[in-house]
């Protein structure tokens, strides 16, 4: 029981045991209305009524499976002195009832303020899009480090400052965990945080309070309709980074937009911030990939070029996104290209690593997808990955016949001879050659 409480506190409550004045929070939440004493003192804030203790604030968030408003009575019985939610609440003896337009947004801002705004002094670069977020964000972070900038990464691969990567449960964490990680980045001396902004996190306002410097849009395709309900809602969630979040930033926000994607091009007229475009012949930053192979490509930008240590047609777009981000940050094209050339391909959970070994092209599943089911490849994603890696996929049915759960869940290695769609288990000597090539 104590272990469970500790885990829940780490995720759903700040648990710093600091007294804070409610009025300080109310000033941060536009449209907040309250009934009761605005000078009430708060010990901690949480969205989980089971964690409430005397002196705490409870934020009633309506989720997919449970409405926090149903737990208000329990929170008050446990000693909550402040209740925040989206309903119209009657006065309660000894409890301040606060009505806000968006409870998730209010919670995120309260947590940020409660932890003394750990984002102060940090520069933030958010990457959103259906595909390419992880690779682009990881590229940018590593390029910055190569150029002598202390930078943190937060996303699908986990959280990293100067040491090893700390795994995360969500691509973009919930507010309490997020602000604790940003506090860690600040304490580690980081100057920049490069993070993946998922559509779920943007929609749920998990990133409220983060003042972004740059927002990057990679592309838009169908995904996450189980959560968003429609393609239009999914698109609008992505767009929030360049509308709501950019407007709330106290920085000179700039948007890096892939106008080679129809969605990105359509968004630009709606943006009030400066836009730095890439991905098309009429973009501000014109790039092209030449000599694209399975294990390398040359990225050209104007009269400059650099040979990259990662390949595939899809990585041309990722490299262009990373380059445009660095240029928008004020770095020169030549120094940015030189920093990017040292980057090696991301080994993403559930992803594929394709490496050239004499007479063969190899596929390797890096992580056990049973722990990362959201990364399992669909047929279209697999086709794109293989085509981009140099495989010729003429009929998707060839690949539908593969034992995908084995390929992606059991860390099995498979080989496809040049020009063939036959897939066989990887012989032990060849496996050793592949691992050496990594």
């Amino acid at each position: 029981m104590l272990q469970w409480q500790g885990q829940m506190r780490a995720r759903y409550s700040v648990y710093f045991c600091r007294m804070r004045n409610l009025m300080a929070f109310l000033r941060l939440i536009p449209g907040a209305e309250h009934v009761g004493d605005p000078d009430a003192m708060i010990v901690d804030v949480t969205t989980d009524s089971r964690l409430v203790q005397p002196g705490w604030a409870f934020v009633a968030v309506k989720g997919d499976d449970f409405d926090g408003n149903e737990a208000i009575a329990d929170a008050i019985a446990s000693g909550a002195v402040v209740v925040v939610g989206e309903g119209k609440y009657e006065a309660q003896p000894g409890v301040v009832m606060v009505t806000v337009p968006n409870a998730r947004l209010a919670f995120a801002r309260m947590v940020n303020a409660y932890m003394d705004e750990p984002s102060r002094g940090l520069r933030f670069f958010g990457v959103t899009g259906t595909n390419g977020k992880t690779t682009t964000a990881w590229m940018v972070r590593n390029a910055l480090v190569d150029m002598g900038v202390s930078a943190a990464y937060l996303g699908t691969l986990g959280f990293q400052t100067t040491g090893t990567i700390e795994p995360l449960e969500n691509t973009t964490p919930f507010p309490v965990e997020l602000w604790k990680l940003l506090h860690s980045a600040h304490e580690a001396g980081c100057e920049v945080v490069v993070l993946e902004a998922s559509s779920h996190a943007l929609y749920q306002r998990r990133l409220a309070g983060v003042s972004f410097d740059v927002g990057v849009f990679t592309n838009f395709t169908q995904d996450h309709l189980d959560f968003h309900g429609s393609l239009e809602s999914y698109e609008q969630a992505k767009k929030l980074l360049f509308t709501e979040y950019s407007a709330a930033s106290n920085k000179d926000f700039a948007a890096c937009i892939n106008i080679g994607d129809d969605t990105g091009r359509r968004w630009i007229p709606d943006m009030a911030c400066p836009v730095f475009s890439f991905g098309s012949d009429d973009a501000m930053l014109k790039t092209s990939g030449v000599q694209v192979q399975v294990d390398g490509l040359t990225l050209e930008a104007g009269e400059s070029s650099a040979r990259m240590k990662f390949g595939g047609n899809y990585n041309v777009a990722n490299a262009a996104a990373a380059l445009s981000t660095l240029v928008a940050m004020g770095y020169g094209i030549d120094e940015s290209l030189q920093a990017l050339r040292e980057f090696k391909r991301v080994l993403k959970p559930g992803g594929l690593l394709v490496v050239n070994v004499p007479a063969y092209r190899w596929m390797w599943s890096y992580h056990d997808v049973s722990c990362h089911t959201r990364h399992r490849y669909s047929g279209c994603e697999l086709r794109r990955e293989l085509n981009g890696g140099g495989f010729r996929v003429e009929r998707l049915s060839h690949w539908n016949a593969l034992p995908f759960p084995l390929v992606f869940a059991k860390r099995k290695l498979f080989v496809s001879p040049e020009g063939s769609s036959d897939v066989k288990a990887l012989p032990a000597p060849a496996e050793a050659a592949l691992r050496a090539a990594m």
Side-chain angles (χ1 to χ4, degrees):
M1 183 65 176
L2 291 176
Q3 182 180 6
W4 172 85
Q5 287 181 335
Q7 292 172 343
M8 291 299 100
R9 283 171 176 165
R11 183 170 181 182
Y12 296 108
S13 70
V14 180
Y15 201 54
F16 275 8
C17 295
R18 297 172 177 171
M19 298 291 286
R20 290 289 188 271
N21 185 285
L22 174 60
M23 183 56 73
F25 294 132
L26 294 178
R27 295 192 188 102
L28 301 173
I29 308 171
E33 300 177 356
H34 67 277
V35 178
D37 181 10
D39 290 321
M41 299 301 291
I42 300 171
V43 176
D44 203 341
V45 56
T46 183
T47 56
D48 191 330
S49 62
R50 297 168 296 180
L51 300 180
V52 172
Q53 297 180 32
W56 285 35
F58 171 66
V59 182
V61 171
K62 186 176 182 179
D64 296 329
D65 302 318
F66 183 74
D67 186 349
N69 288 283
E70 298 176 8
I72 289 177
D74 292 337
I76 293 175
S78 296
V81 295
V82 173
V83 171
V84 180
E86 297 172 14
K88 291 295 183 180
Y89 307 116
E90 297 180 358
Q92 299 287 337
V95 181
V96 185
M97 306 299 291
V98 182
T99 299
V100 296
N102 188 313
R104 292 184 184 275
L105 176 63
F107 179 62
R109 290 187 172 177
M110 289 176 73
V111 172
N112 179 28
Y114 199 96
M115 297 179 68
D116 296 327
E117 300 184 48
S119 63
R120 285 185 299 182
L122 292 171
R123 302 177 70 193
F124 287 93
F125 304 92
V127 183
T128 196
T130 305
N131 300 302
K133 292 190 300 296
T134 301
T135 301
T136 300
W138 193 247
M139 277 186 190
V140 172
R141 187 264 175 182
N142 280 271
L144 289 171
V145 171
D146 190 72
M147 290 189 286
V149 178
S150 179
Y153 161 86
L154 192 155
T156 302
L157 301 177
F159 172 68
Q160 184 175 36
T161 53
T162 56
T164 58
I165 289 186
E166 174 186 338
L168 300 174
E169 185 174 344
N170 301 96
T171 296
T172 312
F174 286 86
V176 172
E177 183 182 11
L178 172 70
W179 289 108
K180 287 181 178 178
L181 292 172
L182 297 183
H183 177 76
S184 298
H186 184 270
E187 291 295 303
C190 292
E191 305 166 56
V192 174
V193 176
V194 184
L195 61 85
E196 298 179 49
S198 69
S199 60
H200 294 65
L202 291 169
Y203 174 78
Q204 293 177 339
R205 274 62 177 188
R206 298 181 203 169
L207 293 163
V210 176
S211 288
F212 286 98
D213 294 78
V214 176
V216 186
F217 171 73
T218 58
N219 52 62
F220 182 81
T221 58
Q222 180 172 310
D223 202 359
H224 300 307
L225 297 190
D226 56 331
F227 178 83
H228 294 286
S230 69
L231 202 59
E232 181 180 4
S233 296
Y234 175 44
E235 178 185 337
Q236 291 305 310
K238 292 288 188 188
K239 192 177 180 182
L240 286 172
L241 179 59
F242 308 96
T243 53
E244 181 179 306
Y245 286 89
S246 66
S249 175
N250 58 19
K251 315 278 188 63
D252 293 327
F253 181 91
C256 292
I257 305 295
N258 178 10
I259 61 172
D261 182 279
D262 291 340
T263 300
R265 187 179 289 274
R266 189 174 65 251
W267 284 359
I268 288 182
D270 299 331
M271 293 185 183
C273 59
V275 175
F276 195 91
S277 60
F278 66 93
S280 175
D281 290 340
D282 60 339
M284 294 177 65
L285 179 66
K286 300 177 178 62
T287 58
S288 60
V290 298
Q291 297 178 330
V292 180
Q293 298 173 338
V294 69
D295 57 351
L297 62 88
T298 298
L299 185 68
E300 295 182 340
E303 298 181 357
S304 302
S305 66
R307 184 67 182 172
M308 306 296 171
K309 296 180 179 178
F310 49 88
N313 293 321
Y314 52 92
N315 271 326
V316 175
N318 293 334
L323 178 62
S324 70
T325 304
L326 294 169
V327 173
M329 293 166 63
Y331 294 98
I333 291 178
D334 288 329
E335 65 176 328
S336 298
L337 283 171
Q338 292 308 308
L340 289 171
R341 69 180 300 188
E342 298 303 318
F343 172 81
K344 293 184 179 179
R345 180 175 171 169
V346 170
L347 291 179
K348 179 179 178 180
L352 297 173
L353 174 67
V354 186
V355 180
N356 260 344
V357 177
Y360 292 98
R361 286 177 179 157
W362 309 85
M363 297 181 295
W364 180 38
S365 174
Y366 179 59
H367 276 302
D368 185 341
V369 85
S370 64
C371 299
H372 304 276
T373 54
R374 66 185 184 278
H375 296 302
R376 181 170 295 180
Y377 277 69
S378 67
C380 292
E381 288 172 329
L382 184 64
R383 179 199 290 271
R384 181 172 59 251
E385 182 87 10
L386 294 175
N387 282 335
F391 287 86
R392 290 197 297 273
V393 184
E394 297 177 0
R395 288 182 11 186
L396 194 58
S397 59
H398 288 172
W399 303 100
N400 285 339
L402 287 178
F404 288 136
L406 290 178
V407 174
F408 296 121
K410 300 298 182 183
R411 299 193 183 191
K412 290 206 172 182
L413 294 160
F414 292 83
V415 55
S416 176
E418 292 280 0
S420 170
S421 60
D422 295 329
V423 177
K424 304 174 183 178
L426 183 66
E431 179 175 340
L434 172 60
R435 295 188 185 280
M438 291 170 55

PDB file of all heavy atoms in Angstrom, residues 390-404:
ATOM      1  N   GLY A 390      15.442   0.970 -48.521  1.00  0.00           N
ATOM      2  CA  GLY A 390      16.059   0.370 -49.694  1.00  0.00           C
ATOM      3  C   GLY A 390      15.427  -0.947 -50.115  1.00  0.00           C
ATOM      4  O   GLY A 390      15.821  -1.523 -51.118  1.00  0.00           O
ATOM      5  N   PHE A 391      14.448  -1.460 -49.354  1.00  0.00           N
ATOM      6  CA  PHE A 391      13.769  -2.683 -49.748  1.00  0.00           C
ATOM      7  C   PHE A 391      12.759  -2.376 -50.847  1.00  0.00           C
ATOM      8  O   PHE A 391      12.183  -1.300 -50.896  1.00  0.00           O
ATOM      9  CB  PHE A 391      13.020  -3.293 -48.561  1.00  0.00           C
ATOM     10  CG  PHE A 391      13.907  -3.925 -47.530  1.00  0.00           C
ATOM     11  CD1 PHE A 391      14.450  -3.158 -46.526  1.00  0.00           C
ATOM     12  CD2 PHE A 391      14.186  -5.275 -47.577  1.00  0.00           C
ATOM     13  CE1 PHE A 391      15.267  -3.738 -45.570  1.00  0.00           C
ATOM     14  CE2 PHE A 391      15.001  -5.857 -46.625  1.00  0.00           C
ATOM     15  CZ  PHE A 391      15.548  -5.086 -45.618  1.00  0.00           C
ATOM     16  N   ARG A 392      12.544  -3.336 -51.707  1.00  0.00           N
ATOM     17  CA  ARG A 392      11.511  -3.188 -52.725  1.00  0.00           C
ATOM     18  C   ARG A 392      10.289  -3.992 -52.277  1.00  0.00           C
ATOM     19  O   ARG A 392      10.336  -5.217 -52.213  1.00  0.00           O
ATOM     20  CB  ARG A 392      12.007  -3.683 -54.080  1.00  0.00           C
ATOM     21  CG  ARG A 392      13.076  -2.787 -54.688  1.00  0.00           C
ATOM     22  CD  ARG A 392      13.237  -3.056 -56.176  1.00  0.00           C
ATOM     23  NE  ARG A 392      13.689  -4.419 -56.434  1.00  0.00           N
ATOM     24  CZ  ARG A 392      14.970  -4.784 -56.462  1.00  0.00           C
ATOM     25  NH1 ARG A 392      15.908  -3.896 -56.234  1.00  0.00           N
ATOM     26  NH2 ARG A 392      15.309  -6.034 -56.711  1.00  0.00           N
ATOM     27  N   VAL A 393       9.215  -3.297 -51.971  1.00  0.00           N
ATOM     28  CA  VAL A 393       7.987  -3.954 -51.532  1.00  0.00           C
ATOM     29  C   VAL A 393       6.959  -3.770 -52.635  1.00  0.00           C
ATOM     30  O   VAL A 393       6.346  -2.719 -52.763  1.00  0.00           O
ATOM     31  CB  VAL A 393       7.474  -3.361 -50.205  1.00  0.00           C
ATOM     32  CG1 VAL A 393       6.250  -4.124 -49.736  1.00  0.00           C
ATOM     33  CG2 VAL A 393       8.565  -3.415 -49.153  1.00  0.00           C
ATOM     34  N   GLU A 394       6.787  -4.793 -53.468  1.00  0.00           N
ATOM     35  CA  GLU A 394       5.873  -4.676 -54.593  1.00  0.00           C
ATOM     36  C   GLU A 394       4.439  -5.005 -54.185  1.00  0.00           C
ATOM     37  O   GLU A 394       3.496  -4.396 -54.653  1.00  0.00           O
ATOM     38  CB  GLU A 394       6.327  -5.608 -55.717  1.00  0.00           C
ATOM     39  CG  GLU A 394       7.701  -5.230 -56.271  1.00  0.00           C
ATOM     40  CD  GLU A 394       8.166  -6.192 -57.330  1.00  0.00           C
ATOM     41  OE1 GLU A 394       7.423  -7.154 -57.630  1.00  0.00           O
ATOM     42  OE2 GLU A 394       9.266  -5.996 -57.859  1.00  0.00           O
ATOM     43  N   ARG A 395       4.296  -5.962 -53.313  1.00  0.00           N
ATOM     44  CA  ARG A 395       2.963  -6.348 -52.851  1.00  0.00           C
ATOM     45  C   ARG A 395       2.984  -6.458 -51.345  1.00  0.00           C
ATOM     46  O   ARG A 395       3.773  -7.217 -50.777  1.00  0.00           O
ATOM     47  CB  ARG A 395       2.543  -7.681 -53.462  1.00  0.00           C
ATOM     48  CG  ARG A 395       2.210  -7.568 -54.926  1.00  0.00           C
ATOM     49  CD  ARG A 395       1.741  -8.873 -55.527  1.00  0.00           C
ATOM     50  NE  ARG A 395       1.456  -9.907 -54.528  1.00  0.00           N
ATOM     51  CZ  ARG A 395       1.153 -11.165 -54.874  1.00  0.00           C
ATOM     52  NH1 ARG A 395       1.095 -11.503 -56.131  1.00  0.00           N
ATOM     53  NH2 ARG A 395       0.909 -12.058 -53.938  1.00  0.00           N
ATOM     54  N   LEU A 396       2.122  -5.712 -50.705  1.00  0.00           N
ATOM     55  CA  LEU A 396       2.100  -5.683 -49.244  1.00  0.00           C
ATOM     56  C   LEU A 396       1.744  -7.054 -48.680  1.00  0.00           C
ATOM     57  O   LEU A 396       2.122  -7.382 -47.564  1.00  0.00           O
ATOM     58  CB  LEU A 396       1.106  -4.638 -48.748  1.00  0.00           C
ATOM     59  CG  LEU A 396       1.189  -4.254 -47.275  1.00  0.00           C
ATOM     60  CD1 LEU A 396       2.569  -3.731 -46.942  1.00  0.00           C
ATOM     61  CD2 LEU A 396       0.133  -3.220 -46.953  1.00  0.00           C
ATOM     62  N   SER A 397       1.051  -7.877 -49.482  1.00  0.00           N
ATOM     63  CA  SER A 397       0.662  -9.194 -48.988  1.00  0.00           C
ATOM     64  C   SER A 397       1.885 -10.036 -48.641  1.00  0.00           C
ATOM     65  O   SER A 397       1.823 -10.920 -47.788  1.00  0.00           O
ATOM     66  CB  SER A 397      -0.191  -9.931 -50.027  1.00  0.00           C
ATOM     67  OG  SER A 397       0.530 -10.078 -51.238  1.00  0.00           O
ATOM     68  N   HIS A 398       2.999  -9.781 -49.317  1.00  0.00           N
ATOM     69  CA  HIS A 398       4.222 -10.497 -48.971  1.00  0.00           C
ATOM     70  C   HIS A 398       4.558 -10.288 -47.508  1.00  0.00           C
ATOM     71  O   HIS A 398       4.985 -11.190 -46.813  1.00  0.00           O
ATOM     72  CB  HIS A 398       5.395  -9.991 -49.819  1.00  0.00           C
ATOM     73  CG  HIS A 398       5.313 -10.420 -51.240  1.00  0.00           C
ATOM     74  ND1 HIS A 398       6.163  -9.946 -52.214  1.00  0.00           N
ATOM     75  CD2 HIS A 398       4.478 -11.278 -51.873  1.00  0.00           C
ATOM     76  CE1 HIS A 398       5.862 -10.497 -53.378  1.00  0.00           C
ATOM     77  NE2 HIS A 398       4.845 -11.294 -53.201  1.00  0.00           N
ATOM     78  N   TRP A 399       4.361  -9.041 -47.069  1.00  0.00           N
ATOM     79  CA  TRP A 399       4.755  -8.695 -45.711  1.00  0.00           C
ATOM     80  C   TRP A 399       3.665  -9.002 -44.696  1.00  0.00           C
ATOM     81  O   TRP A 399       3.938  -9.242 -43.532  1.00  0.00           O
ATOM     82  CB  TRP A 399       5.128  -7.216 -45.653  1.00  0.00           C
ATOM     83  CG  TRP A 399       6.210  -6.944 -46.649  1.00  0.00           C
ATOM     84  CD1 TRP A 399       6.063  -6.394 -47.884  1.00  0.00           C
ATOM     85  CD2 TRP A 399       7.590  -7.281 -46.530  1.00  0.00           C
ATOM     86  NE1 TRP A 399       7.270  -6.352 -48.531  1.00  0.00           N
ATOM     87  CE2 TRP A 399       8.226  -6.888 -47.717  1.00  0.00           C
ATOM     88  CE3 TRP A 399       8.349  -7.873 -45.523  1.00  0.00           C
ATOM     89  CZ2 TRP A 399       9.582  -7.061 -47.931  1.00  0.00           C
ATOM     90  CZ3 TRP A 399       9.698  -8.049 -45.726  1.00  0.00           C
ATOM     91  CH2 TRP A 399      10.308  -7.651 -46.919  1.00  0.00           C
ATOM     92  N   ASN A 400       2.425  -9.042 -45.176  1.00  0.00           N
ATOM     93  CA  ASN A 400       1.349  -9.430 -44.266  1.00  0.00           C
ATOM     94  C   ASN A 400       1.503 -10.873 -43.813  1.00  0.00           C
ATOM     95  O   ASN A 400       0.980 -11.285 -42.783  1.00  0.00           O
ATOM     96  CB  ASN A 400      -0.019  -9.257 -44.940  1.00  0.00           C
ATOM     97  CG  ASN A 400      -0.424  -7.805 -45.029  1.00  0.00           C
ATOM     98  OD1 ASN A 400       0.086  -6.985 -44.296  1.00  0.00           O
ATOM     99  ND2 ASN A 400      -1.337  -7.492 -45.938  1.00  0.00           N
ATOM    100  N   ALA A 401       2.215 -11.670 -44.614  1.00  0.00           N
ATOM    101  CA  ALA A 401       2.418 -13.067 -44.275  1.00  0.00           C
ATOM    102  C   ALA A 401       3.489 -13.256 -43.207  1.00  0.00           C
ATOM    103  O   ALA A 401       3.655 -14.344 -42.669  1.00  0.00           O
ATOM    104  CB  ALA A 401       2.803 -13.848 -45.527  1.00  0.00           C
ATOM    105  N   LEU A 402       4.227 -12.182 -42.898  1.00  0.00           N
ATOM    106  CA  LEU A 402       5.274 -12.286 -41.887  1.00  0.00           C
ATOM    107  C   LEU A 402       4.684 -12.484 -40.498  1.00  0.00           C
ATOM    108  O   LEU A 402       3.611 -11.972 -40.202  1.00  0.00           O
ATOM    109  CB  LEU A 402       6.125 -11.009 -41.867  1.00  0.00           C
ATOM    110  CG  LEU A 402       7.091 -10.789 -43.021  1.00  0.00           C
ATOM    111  CD1 LEU A 402       7.779  -9.457 -42.826  1.00  0.00           C
ATOM    112  CD2 LEU A 402       8.118 -11.891 -43.098  1.00  0.00           C
ATOM    113  N   PRO A 403       5.380 -13.205 -39.638  1.00  0.00           N
ATOM    114  CA  PRO A 403       4.923 -13.337 -38.245  1.00  0.00           C
ATOM    115  C   PRO A 403       5.285 -12.089 -37.465  1.00  0.00           C
ATOM    116  O   PRO A 403       6.210 -12.069 -36.672  1.00  0.00           O
ATOM    117  CB  PRO A 403       5.708 -14.563 -37.748  1.00  0.00           C
ATOM    118  CG  PRO A 403       6.975 -14.531 -38.548  1.00  0.00           C
ATOM    119  CD  PRO A 403       6.582 -13.995 -39.906  1.00  0.00           C
ATOM    120  N   PHE A 404       4.530 -10.993 -37.673  1.00  0.00           N
ATOM    121  CA  PHE A 404       4.884  -9.705 -37.070  1.00  0.00           C
ATOM    122  C   PHE A 404       5.066  -9.763 -35.560  1.00  0.00           C
ATOM    123  O   PHE A 404       5.994  -9.177 -35.042  1.00  0.00           O
ATOM    124  CB  PHE A 404       3.845  -8.641 -37.420  1.00  0.00           C
ATOM    125  CG  PHE A 404       3.897  -8.201 -38.845  1.00  0.00           C
ATOM    126  CD1 PHE A 404       2.748  -8.037 -39.581  1.00  0.00           C
ATOM    127  CD2 PHE A 404       5.123  -7.969 -39.454  1.00  0.00           C
ATOM    128  CE1 PHE A 404       2.805  -7.638 -40.908  1.00  0.00           C
ATOM    129  CE2 PHE A 404       5.190  -7.567 -40.777  1.00  0.00           C
ATOM    130  CZ  PHE A 404       4.023  -7.407 -41.504  1.00  0.00           C
TER     131      PHE A 404
END
